[in-house]
Amino acid sequence: EPEVTQTPSHQVTQMGQEVILRCVPISNHLYFYWYRQILGQKVEFLVSFYNNEISEKSEIFDDQFSVERPDGSNFTLKIRSTKLEDSAMYFCASRKFTGGEGEKLFFGSGTQLSVL
Amino acid sequence: QQQVKQSPQSLIVQKGGISIINCAYENTAFDYFPWYQQFPGKGPALLIAIRPDVSEKKEGRFTISFNKSAKQFSLHIMDSQPGDSATYFCAANHGGTGKLIFGQGTTLQVKP
């Protein structure tokens, strides 16, 4: 079964450093997302991306965050200057289209980001 | 109004028993209600989903019951097995945006 692939699985960085989290969505999917989950808390929406632009973002997704689809297969989340509170599991997700079965959101296994 | 409230926070059930997890929402614009299962170190995986035009949906041992007037929905796991031990999240969405609002999660432990 096709799956969303995320790399790396773990990322440790120093506060103030830039990190890039990488994702390869399922190949025929059109909508891409980043979510995050702080340890022990619920999964939170960060941003959605369609047709090479952001379609919606949460209040968490401030100017320190950016997303990009640099080629036909990768989808990245960049955090420009990491803070301690950015430590979380970051999940990439994708779905095929809107409505019906296409509404199913498929999640990757996540990147655990630790900011020291 | 965007919140989805989930209970209980944790649940212990004996093998073969019924596990019941409840969620409530406020936003009447929500029109898609999925349940996700998450094992440690893994991403959430879609288990079953329902739309508000039906009151119940069953897939194998998993059933969603939906009460539109009460703005509540629940997940029932029949004949619970140790392999069902995981964290379960309810979620809600409207407009087919893929922006899911998740509940707080329920950690289920099924004892053999």
Side-chain angles (χ1 to χ4, degrees):
Chain A
E1 186 174 317
E3 56 182 30
V4 177
T5 306
Q6 289 187 243
T7 55
S9 56
H10 293 86
Q11 175 87 49
V12 181
T13 190
Q14 294 291 324
M15 189 169 57
Q17 294 296 304
E18 174 184 286
V19 293
I20 297 176
L21 309 183
R22 304 181 190 279
C23 169
V24 179
I26 296 172
S27 63
N28 61 349
H29 285 193
L30 301 176
Y31 296 80
F32 313 112
Y33 305 83
W34 284 99
Y35 284 76
R36 78 172 186 189
Q37 185 179 28
I38 295 171
L39 185 64
Q41 297 186 23
K42 65 180 179 180
V43 180
E44 298 176 289
F45 169 81
L46 290 179
V47 66
S48 58
F49 191 87
Y50 169 72
N51 200 25
N52 280 320
E53 59 183 27
I54 291 173
S55 35
E56 189 170 0
K57 58 184 181 179
S58 72
E59 60 273 12
I60 302 167
F61 194 88
D62 62 23
D63 292 343
Q64 294 300 313
F65 291 87
S66 62
V67 289
E68 194 178 31
R69 188 153 163 83
D71 53 43
S73 58
N74 292 283
F75 180 51
T76 62
L77 173 69
K78 182 194 287 186
I79 309 175
R80 214 175 325 274
S81 178
T82 50
K83 307 191 228 5
L84 294 176
E85 55 264 37
D86 294 327
S87 295
M89 179 74 91
Y90 288 80
F91 292 108
C92 175
S94 69
R95 67 188 174 109
K96 196 182 282 191
F97 47 76
T98 58
E101 290 293 301
E103 198 144 6
K104 289 183 183 177
L105 204 56
F106 293 82
F107 285 82
S109 292
T111 293
Q112 179 64 55
L113 176 65
S114 298
V115 182
L116 306 179
Chain B
Q1 199 181 23
Q2 286 292 322
Q3 283 190 9
V4 176
K5 295 183 180 178
Q6 184 172 346
S7 62
Q9 191 175 351
S10 62
L11 183 61
I12 300 174
V13 171
Q14 291 293 325
K15 179 182 174 182
I18 302 173
S19 304
I20 301 174
I21 305 170
N22 301 298
C23 284
Y25 65 97
E26 289 294 325
N27 189 347
T28 54
F30 287 147
D31 58 6
Y32 176 69
F33 301 89
W35 283 90
Y36 280 81
Q37 179 188 55
Q38 185 181 30
F39 292 105
K42 297 292 185 183
L46 180 66
L47 197 59
I48 186 172
I50 197 168
R51 295 192 180 276
D53 51 346
V54 298
S55 59
E56 186 175 282
K57 183 173 180 181
K58 185 175 180 180
E59 288 183 3
R61 296 184 294 109
F62 301 93
T63 300
I64 301 179
S65 296
F66 190 86
N67 186 330
K68 189 174 181 178
S69 60
K71 292 184 281 188
Q72 295 175 349
F73 58 110
S74 59
L75 175 69
H76 296 233
I77 306 174
M78 313 300 286
D79 187 26
S80 299
Q81 299 296 312
D84 296 331
S85 298
T87 299
Y88 292 82
F89 291 95
C90 63
N93 172 241
H94 68 87
T97 64
K99 176 187 172 184
L100 294 177
I101 308 299
F102 281 87
Q104 292 285 81
T106 296
T107 302
L108 170 65
Q109 182 184 358
V110 181
K111 291 196 167 183

